[in-house]
Structure formats: C-alpha cells, structure tokens
Amino acid sequence: MRIVDIIERSVPLEGAISNAVVSFTDHDVSLVAVVSDVVRNGRPVIGFGFNSIGRYAQRGILRDRIIPRLKAAAPHALLDDDGKAFDPAKVLAVALTNEKPGGHGDRAGAIAAVELAFWDLNAKLADEPAYLTIARAAGRPDVQPAVPVYAAGGYYYPQGSGKTLTDELLGYRDQGFDAFKIKIGGAPMAADMARIEEALAVAGHGKRLSVDANGRFDIDAALAYARAIEGYDLRWYEEVGDPLDYDLNRQLTELYSRPVATGENLFSRQDVKNLLLFGGLRPGRDIFQMDAGLSYGLSEYMAMLDLLEQSGFDRAQAFPHGGHLINLHIAAGLGLGGCEAYPGVFQPFGGYPSACPVGGGWVRPSDAPGFGLEQKPEIAAVLKTLCI
Ligand code: MG
C-alpha cells in the first residue's frame, strides 16, 4: 500500500466577522487530499483533512516542503508494522525531516492538515467512522459517540449589517444548542457587559455562557474584566491574554475563582508542558482548548492529552478549539469534555451536517467512513473540485 498523490487546495472562508483582534474576511483553509493506491468500487480511497479554521491556508509550506517529503518517502516509512494502515506518527516524523525544534507557528497547522487526512484515510480503509479508529488507537474501546456541544459565535458584526446578538443566539437555540460563547474585548467594557447581559437573557444562566477575549487583554484589563464578570458565574473566561503569557494566566487564576480557558494557540506538547508548569491552571476547573488542526495533528494532540493527565488534569477538561467534523470525531474518540460548533460562520467548514443532529446540547458523529466530510454539502462541493 502506498500514497499515489497528495493535493492541497486553499479554500476561502465565508463571512465578514471579527473578534477583538482579527477580522476573518481574508482567512482561508488548506484542504488536503491524500490519494492511496487502494481502489474500491472503481475509485481510489482518499483521505481528506484541513488545518483549523480562523487562520490561514499553508500552501507554501505544504507544497514546498511537507508534501514533497511525504511523496519521496519509501512506502513502508509511512505504514504501521503490519502494513495494513498508515501510521500517523511516522507521517509526522517524515513531515518534520530537516525541521528544527521550536518555532512551531504555521508549520504546525500545515502538517496538521496532512496528518489528519491520514486519519481520515485509515478510517476509510477500515470502513468505519474516524471516532472508532481514534478510540482504538487511544486504547479506548468503550467509546460513547455523543459529545456535549456549544455554539460559538457572538462576533462583532460590521455596523449596519442588521444582525443582533440576540437574533444570532436565538437562531442557535432553535438549532438545538443550549450553551453559547460570545466574543469580548472588541468594545469598551461597558458595551461588553451589555453584550454579556444580552446573551445571558437567551442562555438563561451563566453556566451556559462563555466569553472569549482572543488574547486581547494586558494584565490590568484581564483583572478588571475578571472582577466585572465574576458575579455572572460564567462557564469560562477564554484566552484572556497573550497565549504564551503564562504569568498573566497564573495571576488571573489567583484572582478569578471561575473557570478560565486557554490553549488554542499552543501548537506543541512543549508549549503545553510550560502552560502546565507556569500557567496556574487548576485541576477539575479550568479548560484546555488545544486543537489538533493547529498543532501537527492528532498524534501531537494525544501527546498533549497524556501530559494533562500526568499532571493531574482530566480529559473532561479538554474542549478543542475548532467547531467542525474533524474535532467532533476527535472529541468522541478520545472522550473529551466536549466540542464547539460554528453553526453560522466559517463556512464551508464550520458546523455539522444533518447526519450529525444537534439536540439538548449534544451532537454525535454519523456512521459515515472517516470524518464524514462528504456528508456536509458545503464541504462536498469543494472536495469535488479538489481531485479525481
Ligand atoms: Mg477562542
């Protein structure tokens, strides 16, 4: 068994929305197809993956470095010991040939898109949904596919767009969501407090509402907002300061008694180790949001999860960033605390197809082989243009 081709396509994200720091209007995603020489029903078996959403495609790194290395590798260098499946850890090792340690950045997302495509391919070769492949790889045979889910949104819309926060959250509630996350830090504090109160009127309780500052705050703003929101008893206060400012995070957790969440911009196990050592995070309380699609793929993510558990944290504290089908399968297969969904934004990748219904705050993956990306019409339309 061998790889015949690896193809990258940069796909623009739809939607003119912003958080406290960035506008998503020019963001795109690297969609990758890994074409195997296995033929079923007259067609090659192909694995699809993408790097996470809310960032940029990585066509240069993929086309100039990562894809040529993988295509040049001997077939056995990418296979597991019995040759019946690809070994994602070996894929990662080959992809990192001649790359120096550290400085993870965009390289981590580029490699993630390919590594995740190999998980999709392995699941299709086994003719099973990816969450089962992932659970078996993690030694978790008693997998429960239903996953707690919340609707992430609550962005700052351009003036005059006619959209309101209340309308947006009510729309999510109509779709079966009972928990929500909104952005803060992109407006003066008084305006943000009004946004939180507006969202609470829909959510019904602070435990069903999280807020995300997208790394915007310095220590003074972080603590000022912490004091202002403490009484709301929010589900969590997310990515408050610079993602690598572990000292800020530690000071925050010393003052703020409610859960904080961070980790979506940590791209390696070493970064997570430093967060655990210096970030002040609290077992049983705080939330980890590392995302396989930003951090070299699932092999590296599983190593991060091992670190959490070795440090006294529970995998129920892990809610990966990135509300899409790949992370739904990862959350189900690894038994994580839950996942997010972007039901209204980040198309074509955000949210779930009708085969994965949301209800009562839960979502479950379908039985389609792999990540089931072909079942989401918006993604399927792009896949058709990609190859074959
Ligand atoms: Mg976030």
Side-chain angles (χ1 to χ4, degrees):
M1 189 163 65
R2 68 185 183 87
I3 295 305
V4 174
D5 202 0
I6 302 176
I7 302 161
E8 186 271 350
R9 173 74 52 85
S10 302
V11 181
L13 283 179
E14 176 191 302
I17 52 175
S18 302
N19 64 34
V21 179
V22 299
S23 162
F24 299 103
T25 48
D26 68 343
H27 281 187
D28 51 9
V29 170
S30 277
L31 179 64
V32 170
V34 175
V35 185
S36 76
D37 67 344
V38 178
V39 175
R40 290 187 185 154
N41 303 316
R43 299 177 64 81
V45 181
I46 304 173
F48 296 107
F50 53 84
N51 61 330
S52 203
I53 51 188
R55 307 291 191 284
Y56 288 96
Q58 300 301 332
R59 68 186 73 82
I61 296 174
L62 281 163
R63 294 183 183 189
D64 294 345
R65 304 198 323 246
I66 309 305
I67 292 174
R69 285 174 196 148
L70 291 167
K71 287 170 79 169
H76 72 270
L78 304 178
L79 294 174
D80 67 6
D81 290 343
D82 64 12
K84 291 185 176 155
F86 292 91
D87 184 334
K90 290 184 181 174
V91 169
L92 176 58
V94 170
L96 283 169
T97 305
N98 290 332
E99 300 280 338
K100 289 187 175 179
H104 301 287
D106 284 344
R107 179 182 73 193
I111 292 177
V114 180
E115 199 260 13
L116 291 166
F118 275 92
W119 284 94
D120 186 56
L121 178 56
N122 273 346
K124 287 171 174 167
L125 290 169
D127 197 25
E128 64 185 9
Y131 75 84
L132 289 179
T133 311
I134 293 166
R136 195 166 51 250
R140 301 177 62 83
D142 300 324
V143 60
Q144 298 294 324
V147 176
V149 66
Y150 66 91
Y155 294 95
Y156 294 95
Y157 290 102
Q159 268 196 336
S161 69
K163 298 175 180 172
T164 71
L165 185 59
T166 298
D167 290 344
E168 180 187 339
L169 300 190
L170 286 174
Y172 298 153
R173 198 168 72 180
D174 289 345
Q175 294 174 50
F177 295 96
D178 67 356
F180 314 95
K181 183 168 79 184
I182 67 168
K183 300 299 183 185
I184 59 169
M189 189 195 276
D192 272 341
M193 292 306 127
R195 282 167 57 77
I196 291 171
E197 303 231 348
E198 184 180 347
L200 281 170
V202 178
H205 192 284
K207 292 285 187 216
R208 291 201 287 275
L209 181 67
S210 304
V211 294
D212 183 359
N214 289 96
R216 168 74 184 270
F217 295 151
D218 61 17
I219 186 64
D220 292 338
L223 298 183
Y225 267 74
R227 291 186 192 97
I229 66 175
E230 178 107 35
Y232 292 127
D233 194 17
L234 297 178
R235 190 179 193 192
W236 69 65
Y237 180 19
E238 176 171 327
E239 211 172 27
V240 177
D242 184 286
L244 295 176
D245 191 343
Y246 305 129
D247 185 52
L248 180 151
N249 208 75
R250 181 189 54 76
Q251 291 183 63
L252 174 66
T253 58
E254 287 173 358
L255 176 119
Y256 185 65
S257 67
R258 313 293 183 197
V260 301
T262 190
E264 90 176 56
N265 285 301
L266 302 186
F267 300 160
S268 73
R269 70 189 77 180
Q270 185 63 48
D271 284 333
V272 172
K273 178 181 173 185
N274 285 335
L275 175 67
L276 295 169
L277 285 171
F278 307 116
L281 293 177
R282 299 159 291 189
R285 185 175 314 176
D286 296 317
I287 302 300
F288 295 90
Q289 301 177 299
M290 291 78 73
D291 178 353
L294 293 172
S295 53
Y296 296 108
L298 189 48
S299 308
E300 184 77 3
Y301 185 81
M302 288 163 77
M304 294 174 178
L305 214 50
D306 286 344
L307 274 177
L308 294 192
E309 294 188 323
Q310 289 161 16
S311 301
F313 295 88
D314 193 296
R315 64 180 58 214
Q317 292 176 252
F319 283 69
H321 159 269
H324 49 66
L325 277 163
I326 293 178
N327 278 351
L328 170 58
H329 281 264
I330 289 173
L334 297 179
L336 306 181
C339 63
E340 62 181 334
Y342 298 111
V345 293
F346 293 130
Q347 295 305 312
F349 297 101
Y352 306 112
S354 57
C356 305
V358 175
W362 293 76
V363 61
R364 57 183 297 152
S366 77
D367 290 332
F371 293 122
L373 300 178
E374 295 85 350
Q375 286 189 324
K376 189 164 189 292
E378 300 88 345
I379 300 178
V382 182
L383 295 180
K384 273 188 193 145
T385 70
L386 194 61
C387 55
I388 318 302

